[in-house]
Structure formats: C-alpha cells, structure tokens
Amino acid sequence: MSSDVRFTDFKSDKQPTWCPGCGDFGTMNGMMKALANTGNSPDDTFIVAGIGCSGKIGTYMHSYALHGVHGRALPVGAGVKIANPDLEVMVAGGDGDGYSIGAGHFVHAVRRNVDMSYVVMDNRIYGLTKGQFSPTSREDFETSTSPEGTKQAPVNPLALALASGGTFIAQSFSSDAKRHTEIVQRAIEHDGFGFVNVYSPCVTFNDVDTYDYFRESLVDLGEDDSYDPADRDAAKQVILDGDKEYQGVIYEQEDSVPYEERMGFDQDMSDIPDGAPENAMDLVREFY
C-alpha cells in the first residue's frame, strides 16, 4: 500500500473503444480513483472482467488483469484472492454478464463473502451485441428482441444480493463522479464481498434509462441522516421500493468476517513449486 499513488497510475496506454458518452468511462475512472484513494497500486491490484462492453476494462487499466469468459469472472476473482490474499482484487462486469449467465456465480460469490469488490456496469441492455434486452431491462422496454416489451419483470440484483447474505450492497451513478468514487472506495474498504451496482447509461441503444433520467430520479441515501446502512430491514425496504432509484451504501454488515479469515487462508499460495507434490503418485495408485 502506498500514499503516493495517483489514479492516473492505473491508466494504461490503450484507448477505450467504447462509444463516446458511454457510462463505462465514468465507472472506470471512479474505480481507478477509489483504488488510489485506498492506497493500492497497480503492482498489488488484480482486475478480472467478464464479457460485454465492460469486458476489456482490464486492458484499459494498468494493473494485473484477466479477461475471463462469459459469466465466470467472479470465480476467477475469488480464486485469485484466496491464492494471494495480499492482492486487491476487483471484478468488473455488466448486467448481462453478471445477472444472466453469471447469476449462479453471483449468488455463491455473495454468500461466500471473499474479501474483494464487484463493480457491475448496469445499463439495462446488451450493448456489445447491438441492443437486445438484458436481465435488468424494464418490462415494457422495446428492443429488437422485444418489440412489444420484455413481458417479464427485471432482475433486482440488490434483492438477490441481500437474499444471498450480502454483507455490503451499494448502488452508484457513473456520472456522479464524486459519489461513485466514494461508494466504490467503501466497497474496497469493506471486510468481505463489496458489491456495487452502477447505473452506467448506454447512449447508443438505450434511450429510456438515460443520464437525464437518472439525474432526475436518483435518491441519494447519503443525504438522509436518518438512514442507517447497518439496518437490514431498512435496506430491504429500499431495495424492494420499485418506485425510486437509489444510490449510496444500502446495506453494510459491520461485523463481516471474510471467507479467507474464516477458513484460515492467510498464506500466499500463488508460488507453486516445480514438480509433483510429495506422495502424489501414491495417491494416484490408490485410485487407479
């Protein structure tokens, strides 16, 4: 950890190919600022990404990185953190990657509570594959694959996280740079799985969930002095409120104990010695 790290240290020399105005620019900038603010450096940071517009974020950030397969970024991130607890692990993905094919991994990553952060760029559409509806699209959202609306209720990722035993659940807006950075920083500092769903508008294919819509609709829980993120019942009310869009730390379990600590995984297991483990052949012969 270092106090001399700047967020620009996390910028790579690769230029993003996202559409001009894409919310993912703001999301990534907040991630880099949060990592720098917490004293992490590129040398002790590992970024894992999935598939979709967010998938190349590891290319655009200067750190250790892996571009995984569709829906499988979370188990890779968990494996990295358990193998080397000294690394700051951040997994990035989109609503399609995380809440569709990756939904099963999401549930188990949340309940396992490995000490890492998960930032999801939720634009409520499949952007990379040219505008099909996603798991978080509205029921009446018209796209090329849902010309009369999706005819199904959207997935509520915050509710899924709470029901799975989440210890840190938050939501931010990519255009609100200061708050977004603060919220991601809180996720990094949390002892356990820090989940942040980010409203990250798609300016090309989604003309409903726009920057203007979120600016007009967002309710910031940080401005409500009476709201207590440690109150699970209060968090449940906010999460199930279908009439409002919220940002802020919605729920945080203050006595959270990360999976690695509970299991006693405190050693760096990433340095694997050459050759087969001792008595490995005896084990093979026992079964064959």
Side-chain angles (χ1 to χ4, degrees), residues 44 109 121 143 275 285:
D44 59 46
M121 283 147 262
T143 71
R285 292 188 186 97

Side-chain angles (χ1 to χ4, degrees), residues 155-219:
V155 167
N156 184 335
L158 306 180
L160 196 58
L162 188 68
S164 302
T167 59
F168 184 96
I169 302 168
Q171 197 152 248
S172 66
F173 176 35
S174 65
S175 184
D176 192 343
K178 185 173 183 295
R179 282 293 283 141
H180 168 58
T181 300
E182 290 172 352
I183 292 165
V184 175
Q185 183 173 337
R186 287 276 298 275
I188 294 172
E189 293 170 340
H190 174 71
D191 289 330
F193 189 81
F195 167 52
V196 184
N197 190 67
V198 186
Y199 292 134
S200 182
C202 173
V203 295
T204 303
F205 296 108
N206 191 335
D207 58 2
V208 176
D209 303 293
T210 62
Y211 287 102
D212 286 341
Y213 165 74
F214 286 114
R215 289 191 186 105
E216 294 168 3
S217 305
L218 271 181
V219 176

Side-chain angles (χ1 to χ4, degrees), residues 123-126 131-134 136-152 205-209:
N123 53 26
R124 297 177 172 174
I125 200 165
Y126 281 111
Q132 300 83 6
F133 72 89
S134 85
T136 55
S137 295
R138 302 164 185 260
E139 192 169 351
D140 59 354
F141 191 53
E142 297 177 2
T143 71
S144 58
T145 50
S146 58
E148 296 181 358
T150 69
K151 307 289 188 183
Q152 52 192 324
F205 296 108
N206 191 335
D207 58 2
V208 176
D209 303 293

Side-chain angles (χ1 to χ4, degrees), residues 82 85 257-269:
I82 292 170
V257 180
Y259 176 78
E260 314 91 277
E261 186 175 331
R262 286 186 284 114
M263 299 299 291
F265 297 148
D266 55 0
Q267 301 295 319
D268 184 351
M269 296 183 282

Side-chain angles (χ1 to χ4, degrees), residues 67-91:
H67 187 180
V69 295
H70 201 178
R72 307 301 192 269
L74 282 171
V76 173
V80 170
K81 184 64 179 181
I82 292 170
N84 188 351
D86 293 332
L87 286 174
E88 185 64 55
V89 177
M90 179 177 285
V91 178

Side-chain angles (χ1 to χ4, degrees), residues 239-259:
I239 288 171
L240 297 181
D241 183 355
D243 296 327
K244 295 178 182 177
E245 310 278 10
Y246 290 93
Q247 83 164 343
V249 177
I250 297 171
Y251 178 67
E252 181 170 16
Q253 182 179 318
E254 296 176 344
D255 60 352
S256 167
V257 180
Y259 176 78

Side-chain angles (χ1 to χ4, degrees), residues 92-110:
D95 45 306
D97 181 64
Y99 309 142
S100 181
I101 191 171
H105 287 299
F106 175 57
V107 168
H108 294 295
V110 169

